[in-house]
């Protein structure tokens, strides 16, 4: 279900449609009820580094940069952004 996908810890990619294999068109579909202008708010509620800080430390994998980036992320927790 959509609700279970939104609550999941891991993202999954839907399988490609036959049309995308033949003409390169993306299989992204928006139902008509999504049409229009939306007012949305996002809130970072959780952050983790399951592979370690070196993977968020920029191209050089600097753990100093990573630690600073992670500290900035922590400051953003539970703060709504429009």
């Amino acid at each position: 279900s959509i609700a279970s996908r939104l609550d999941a810890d891991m993202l999954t990619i839907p399988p490609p449609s036959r049309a995308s294999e033949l003409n390169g068109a993306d299989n992204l579909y928006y139902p008509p009820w999504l049409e229009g202008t939306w007012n949305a708010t996002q809130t970072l509620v959780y952050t983790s580094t399951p592979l370690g800080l070196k993977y968020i430390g920029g191209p050089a994998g600097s753990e100093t940069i990573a630690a600073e980036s992670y500290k900035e992320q922590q400051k953003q927790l539970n703060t709504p952004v429009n």
Side-chain angles (χ1 to χ4, degrees):
S1 74
I2 292 175
S4 65
R5 290 183 67 197
L6 291 174
D7 290 335
D9 289 334
M10 185 174 294
L11 298 175
T12 57
I13 299 173
S17 66
R18 181 80 173 128
S20 67
E21 291 175 7
L22 297 175
N23 64 15
D26 195 1
N27 64 351
L28 186 61
Y29 168 76
Y30 293 105
W33 56 267
L34 281 175
E35 184 177 348
T37 302
W38 288 65
N39 293 319
T41 301
Q42 65 178 357
T43 304
L44 179 64
V45 295
Y46 177 75
T47 182
S48 70
T49 58
L51 297 176
L53 286 175
K54 67 181 181 178
Y55 290 98
I56 62 168
S62 166
E63 290 200 24
T64 303
I65 293 171
E68 288 298 316
S69 295
Y70 193 68
K71 191 185 307 181
E72 288 299 315
Q73 287 177 9
Q74 296 296 312
K75 290 179 187 177
Q76 301 300 319
L77 284 172
N78 301 309
T79 304
V81 178
N82 293 329

